[in-house]
Amino acid sequence: QVQFVESGGGLVQPGGSLRLSCAASGFPFSAKAMRWYRQTPGKERELVAHISNSGGYTYYGDSVKGRFTISRDNAKNTAYLQMNSLKPEDTAVYYCNTVLSATLNEYWGQGTQVTVSS
């Protein structure tokens, strides 16, 4: 079955960095674009970043442009999100998913909590 396991979150001070990992399984990872989303209690899930199947195209939400970098290692079935210059407003639970599974609201993992606070 399709699974996503997010990791790498934690507590970090403003201006700090974290690297999130997304271990994917149950589907041909290299054939699918991947996305990172985040969600804060009481708010809609927000698209953070997108990467094409080969990694040649990336997209970032306006709030994270210039600070976050999405990448992937198809040999390891893993997507990454490098987060630099973190701000308190980046605090959220971060999830990864394919475009279709996210649209269908299925196969969401448990996410990884990122808390940015001094």
Side-chain angles (χ1 to χ4, degrees):
Q1 182 70 316
V2 175
Q3 275 193 311
F4 302 100
V5 181
E6 301 92 345
S7 62
L11 175 63
V12 64
Q13 293 186 348
S17 298
L18 285 173
R19 190 194 194 204
L20 307 184
S21 295
C22 169
S25 61
F27 68 98
F29 180 79
S30 63
K32 300 292 185 179
M34 291 293 298
R35 288 180 168 183
W36 283 96
Y37 296 84
R38 67 187 181 187
Q39 189 164 33
T40 300
K43 298 179 64 177
E44 286 283 325
R45 185 161 46 237
E46 175 188 8
L47 174 63
V48 175
H50 171 104
I51 187 167
S52 62
N53 64 331
S54 67
Y57 170 82
T58 57
Y59 166 87
Y60 299 93
D62 288 341
S63 63
V64 307
K65 284 180 180 176
R67 300 187 298 117
F68 290 12
T69 303
I70 188 171
S71 62
R72 65 191 297 159
D73 186 339
N74 286 345
K76 296 181 178 180
N77 281 16
T78 302
Y80 305 94
L81 186 68
Q82 178 67 46
M83 306 185 297
N84 299 326
S85 302
L86 283 162
K87 305 175 180 179
E89 50 262 46
D90 295 318
T91 295
V93 179
Y94 285 71
Y95 303 87
C96 61
N97 213 331
T98 65
V99 176
L100 180 58
S101 293
T103 300
L104 296 175
N105 249 310
E106 62 185 13
Y107 302 129
W108 293 102
Q110 294 193 49
T112 185
Q113 175 72 50
V114 172
T115 302
V116 185
S117 176
S118 59

